Amino acid sequence: KTHLIIDANHQAVMAYGYSRKELVGMSLLQLIPREEYPSVLENTISVLRGQKVMRVRQRTHIRKDGTSLRVTVSASLLEYSGRLIFHDIVRDETDRIRAEEELREARDQLEIRVEQRTAELQLEIAAHSESETRFRATFEQAAVGMAHVAPDGRWLRVNQKLCDIVGYTQEELVAGRFQDITHPADLDRDLAFVRQLLNAEIPNYSMEKRYVRKGGDIIWINLTVTLVRKNSGEPDYFISVIENIVERKKAEAELRVAATAFEVQDGIFITDTNRIMLRVNRAFSKITGYSDQEAIGQTDTLLQTDRHNPDFYTAMWETIHKTGAWQDEIRSRRKNGEVYPAWLSISAVKGVYGEVTHYVNMITDITQRKATEEEIQYLALYDPLTRLPNRRLLLDRLKHALAASGRTGRMGALFFIDLDNFKTINDTLGHDKGDLLLQQVAKRLQNCTREGDTVVRVGGDEFAVVLESLGENPQETAIQATNVGEKIIAALNNPYDLASYVRYCTPSIGVTLFFVEDTIDELQKRADLAMYQAKAAGRNTLRFFDPMMQAAVTARANLAADLRKGLEEGQFLLYYQAQVDDAGQLIGAETLIRWKHPTRGLVSPAEFIPLAEDTRLILPLGEWVLATACKQLATWADHSKMRNLTLAVNVSAYQFRKPDFVNLVLGSIHRTGANPKRLKLELTESLFMEDIDNVVAKMTTLKASGIEFSLDDFGTGYSSLAYLKRLPLNQVKIDQSFVRDVLIDNNAAVITRAIVTLAHSLGLSVIAEGVETAAQKDFLARHDCHAYQGYLFGRPGPVETLDSMTAM
C-alpha cells in the first residue's frame, strides 16, 4: 500500500501511455519488472531511515504497451495532509543511455580493431572511420549536452546542445575548463566526485549542480560523468552528459512553496465542483474546530449560518461562476456552534481545457480585527477616561436633537459645564487624582439625566449635556432645564473620594435652549458664553444665555429660596372654604394654604405650589398643612357646633408616595388627638397612574383608622372605571370646570349628571366645587348632588370665618 500512486503529471501520462485516471491508484510495482522489486523495497527502506533524497540510475520501467522505458528516479520523503508520501521525479533517460551505449560500442569496436593483425589494418581503418562517423552523429545530435573532458577539467570536445545550455560557443568552452562555469558553491562537491573516479573508487557519478551561464545567469543541470581509461589503465578522458533541469527545479520550488503556503495562518479548504471538501489545512481546523477527518467529505454548508439568507449564497455563486472568484465578509460557524466574523475568498481552479475542476477557499477569522475596528471607532467617538461621548459625537447628537425638535415641536437645552478650580486639585494631588474626580463627575452627570439625554466630556474639565424634548414653549423648557441644572449642581457639590483624599469641586453651568432653526455652532457659542457668565457670577451656579429667560429663572430661584425661608419662619397660613348641604348648613371645610410673604404680601398658590412640587418642598409643606388641620380638628372637638365638621386636606402625589406616609398621617392624629373620622384626604387622579396596588394598600390602612378619602377633580384627568371600582373612596368631587358651565354647555351638564349617577351607583357621596350661583346649586340638587362648596357660600378665609357661619 505504500507504493500506491496518488497523483501524476502530464509528462508521466505521455511517458507511460496510461491516462492520469489509470495511473492514480495504481501500484508503482506495476511499472517495474518483477526482478527489480527487491531493489525498490531496499531503496524505500533507505529513504525511511533518514536519507532525505534517493537517486536511482538506469531503472527499467514498463509502458502500457509493454515496451521498456529507461529512466532515472529521484525519490523524496514529504509530509502531505498529515501523512508521509514519496515524491518521485522520473526522468526518461532512454535517449541519453542509448547515446552512451552507442559511444561505448564505438569505443569497443575501435579497441578491437587496433588489436587485429596488421594484415587487416586497412579493413579496421575503414571500420573505424565508419564508427567515428556514427559516434560524431550521435554526439552532435544528442538531445542532451555532451562533452569529453580531460582529467584536469579542460573541455576536449562539446556538442551544440551543451553550448545552448550554457550560452558559450564551442570555441569559448574548449578554451577553458568545466571549473570556470561551475557555481562556486557546487565546485568542491564536483571535484570530490572527480577524485573518486580518478582513484577508481566509483565507476561513475551523477549530481545536480549549478552552471553560471554566459551573462551571469545561474541554471540547474543534472550531470552524469563516466571515466574512460587507456589500455594501460591510466585516465584518458571523462564522458559528461549534461541535462538542463531548470524547469524541473522551478516545478519543485513551486511545489515546496505551495506546500508551505497551504500551511499558512489562514484556513484553506479545497472542494470539488460539488463543493465537497477534499483537503483542509491545520489553520482551518484551528479556526473552525473541525479536524480534517471531520471536514473531508462534507460540503461547505458545514460552515454556513442563518445570518445570511439563501439569496446571499445564490448571488455569491453567480459571481464565482461568472468571474471565477469572490470575496467578502461573512458570518461563519465553528464546530461548537459559535458564530464569528470571517473573511472568505473563493477561487475557481480550471483544467487544461478551461473547465472548473476545484475551488480553493481561504477563510480568515477576523474576530480580533473587528474588535480592533470597533475599539478604534469607540476611541474616535468616546473619551477613554470617562467612557462618555466626546466632542465629535456631541456634534452628531446635537444634529439629531435639532432634527427631532423639528419633528416633535418640542424644545431642548444644551448645558456647558466647567469644574471650578479643578486645576488646583490636579496640580496639588496629581493627575491620577484629577482623573478619579473626572470619572466621578461623569457618573454623577449620568445619574442626573434621563436615559435619552447625552452627557459629553468636551475636554479637560469641561462637560456638556444635551436635553431633548423638554417643552413646547421657552418658559416650560427653561423650568425643566433649571430643574436638571439644580440637580446637577447639588450632585457635583457632594464631596469626592479621591483615594486617601476628600475634596470638593463645584460646577459653573451655562445653558441655552434650542429649537430646529438653531445651528450647532450658534448653540455652542451661546452655551459657552452662558457658562462664562456663571463663572463671573461667582461660580457654582447656573446661567441662561437668554437675558429674559435668565431673569425668569433667577426670579424662580429667588422664589424657591423664599419658600424655604417661609417654611422656616412660619409665613404660611391655613385658609378654610366652607362645604354645605342643601339647607346651607355647614358640614365641613377644605383647607387651602396661603403664603403671607413679608414683602410681596399674599402669594397665589397657583404660583408657589408648582414650584414646591418641583423642588420637593411640597413634602415639608404638606406635613405642615396636615399637622395644622389635625390641630384644628382637635380644637373643634371641644366645641359642640364644630365637633362634627370634617376637614378636607389636599395630598400631593409626591407626599402620598413616600414610604412613611401612613405613619406620618397616623402620627399627626396621635400627637394632636384629632378624631380620624373627621379627617378627609383629597387625592387627584394622577396618583393612581403608578403602582395602584401600593396606593390601595395605603388607603385601606388609613381608612381602617376612620380616615375618609375624596377623589378631587374627577373627570379632568385619566378617569378610569377600572381603578375607580378598586379604590376605597368615600366621595367624588365634581370639578369646578364642569360646574361653571353646567347651565350653558350641554356637554358639561351631561358629564356632571353622569358623575353623580356613577358615584351613587358605587355607593359614594358627591360634592360639587366652584358653585357660584343659586341656579348652579338648583341644577345640582335636581340631579341628586346635595353637598357644595364655592363663592355662593363664602370665600376661603381664616378659621374665624367658619366660626361666624356656625354662630348664624
Side-chain angles (χ1 to χ4, degrees), residues 753-769:
R753 290 196 299 269
I755 293 173
V756 174
T757 302
L758 175 62
H760 288 326
S761 66
L762 294 173
L764 304 176
S765 64
V766 181
I767 186 170
E769 66 177 354

Side-chain angles (χ1 to χ4, degrees), residues 120-164:
E120 298 172 344
L121 180 61
Q122 189 65 40
L123 292 177
E124 183 185 284
I125 292 172
H128 177 71
S129 177
E130 180 181 354
S131 297
E132 179 67 19
T133 301
R134 197 150 41 90
F135 168 77
R136 182 176 292 106
T138 300
F139 187 89
E140 293 296 337
Q141 297 174 14
V144 294
M146 299 192 68
H148 290 172
V149 182
D152 61 0
R154 289 178 295 106
W155 301 102
L156 301 176
R157 186 175 188 179
V158 297
N159 68 353
Q160 186 58 44
K161 183 64 176 178
L162 176 60
C163 294
D164 295 340

Side-chain angles (χ1 to χ4, degrees), residues 452-469:
D453 297 330
T454 300
V455 179
V456 176
R457 185 186 179 200
V458 179
D461 61 342
E462 294 185 356
F463 295 82
V465 176
V466 180
L467 304 178
E468 298 185 47
S469 189

Side-chain angles (χ1 to χ4, degrees), residues 365-560:
D365 185 345
I366 59 173
T367 302
Q368 186 59 45
R369 191 189 83 188
K370 295 291 286 185
T372 301
E373 290 174 355
E374 291 173 1
E375 180 66 16
I376 291 171
Q377 179 70 10
Y378 182 88
L379 293 175
L381 299 176
Y382 289 85
D383 171 46
L385 176 64
T386 62
R387 314 304 283 182
L388 292 177
N390 61 17
R391 182 187 290 273
R392 180 179 175 187
L393 190 52
L394 169 64
L395 302 180
D396 184 68
R397 296 287 174 85
L398 279 174
K399 179 180 177 182
H400 286 287
L402 288 171
S405 187
R407 291 193 303 271
T408 64
R410 299 180 68 84
M411 300 180 70
L414 172 63
F415 288 42
F416 268 14
I417 303 168
D418 185 82
L419 301 181
D420 301 329
N421 302 314
F422 172 77
K423 187 175 184 299
T424 302
I425 294 176
N426 224 19
D427 293 343
T428 57
L429 300 183
H431 291 282
D432 56 333
K433 301 299 188 297
D435 289 346
L436 282 176
L437 188 143
L438 293 174
Q439 290 170 336
Q440 293 177 40
V441 168
K443 290 185 181 298
R444 295 183 189 184
L445 290 175
Q446 289 175 310
N447 291 336
C448 291
T449 54
R450 301 166 300 180
E451 185 176 350
D453 297 330
T454 300
V455 179
V456 176
R457 185 186 179 200
V458 179
D461 61 342
E462 294 185 356
F463 295 82
V465 176
V466 180
L467 304 178
E468 298 185 47
S469 189
L470 292 181
E472 295 181 353
N473 57 69
Q475 291 74 23
E476 180 186 358
T477 304
I479 289 172
Q480 295 201 46
T482 300
N483 292 338
V484 176
E486 290 175 347
K487 189 176 180 180
I488 289 174
I489 290 174
L492 300 190
N493 270 264
N494 289 324
Y496 294 89
D497 182 6
L498 308 178
S500 57
Y501 300 93
V502 175
R503 291 293 185 272
Y504 291 85
C505 189
T506 59
S508 293
I509 304 175
V511 184
T512 184
L513 307 185
F514 63 79
F515 196 56
V516 63
E517 64 267 15
D518 292 309
T519 66
I520 293 176
D521 287 342
E522 185 62 26
L523 283 179
Q524 294 184 96
K525 290 177 183 177
R526 287 172 6 202
D528 200 43
L529 284 172
M531 186 262 290
Y532 280 106
Q533 290 173 8
K535 290 277 189 187
R539 307 175 189 269
N540 195 27
T541 189
L542 176 148
R543 285 291 182 270
F544 278 84
F545 172 77
D546 185 346
M548 294 181 61
M549 196 64 63
Q550 182 60 52
V553 170
T554 301
R556 187 172 182 271
N558 293 336
L559 187 62

Side-chain angles (χ1 to χ4, degrees), residues 626 658-671 698 701-702:
L626 180 62
K658 284 193 66 178
D660 61 346
F661 177 72
V662 171
N663 292 334
L664 177 69
V665 175
L666 296 179
S668 292
I669 291 173
H670 177 72
R671 285 191 299 273
K698 288 181 177 180
T701 301
L702 292 172

